[in-house]
Amino acid sequence: MPAVAYQYLPILLFIAVGIAFSVIFVGAPVLVSKLTGTSKPDVAKLSEYESGFPAFTDSRQQFDVRFYLVSILFIIFDLEVAFLFPWAVSLHWTGVFGWLSMMVFLGILAIGFVYEWKKGALDWE
């Protein structure tokens, strides 16, 4: 084998390992699902469970505004958690400016929370 072909051996090995891992982590769960029977649909599996609306209807139907208010509420708290942890870890480096900027951020999130509260997103029927 020529010396140039040996230079491509790590790349071919990388591709082979990638294909093997994709077969293991993608193909194996699909195969296990087919063998165990979890892919057989029934009424309970096809029922709506997130939004409360039928899963397969017209794509242009109107949703209840509470569904969007709950999603805004999730985004508010998700952003808060995503930014509070790194801020708390680095607070001793940022000092007073970092503390004030986080208070402004939390104030903006509080305004969003008050908006959700006034619109009745927290009062579910």
Side-chain angles (χ1 to χ4, degrees), residues 42-56:
D42 63 15
V43 176
K45 289 182 183 178
L46 295 177
S47 66
E48 49 278 342
Y49 60 93
E50 276 188 11
S51 64
F53 301 107
F56 302 104

Side-chain angles (χ1 to χ4, degrees), residues 1-115:
M1 188 177 262
V4 176
Y6 286 115
Q7 293 176 351
Y8 291 106
L9 190 61
I11 295 172
L12 294 175
L13 183 63
F14 183 74
I15 291 172
V17 169
I19 290 172
F21 276 124
S22 67
V23 166
I24 291 170
F25 290 116
V26 174
V30 170
L31 181 66
V32 169
S33 174
K34 293 289 184 189
L35 293 176
T36 59
T38 57
S39 64
K40 296 175 184 163
D42 63 15
V43 176
K45 289 182 183 178
L46 295 177
S47 66
E48 49 278 342
Y49 60 93
E50 276 188 11
S51 64
F53 301 107
F56 302 104
T57 60
D58 185 25
S59 63
R60 290 178 176 81
Q61 83 177 26
Q62 291 183 342
F63 285 94
D64 191 6
V65 72
R66 289 178 295 184
F67 181 73
Y68 297 110
L69 292 176
V70 169
S71 65
I72 290 172
L73 190 65
F74 172 75
I75 290 171
I76 287 172
F77 288 113
D78 188 42
L79 281 174
E80 185 177 8
V81 170
F83 286 116
L84 272 178
F85 181 74
W87 169 77
V89 170
S90 65
L91 184 60
H92 62 283
W93 287 305
T94 58
V96 175
F97 177 74
W99 187 82
L100 287 174
S101 62
M102 184 52 76
M103 293 305 114
V104 169
F105 175 72
L106 290 176
I108 293 170
L109 289 180
I111 291 170
F113 181 70
V114 169
Y115 172 76

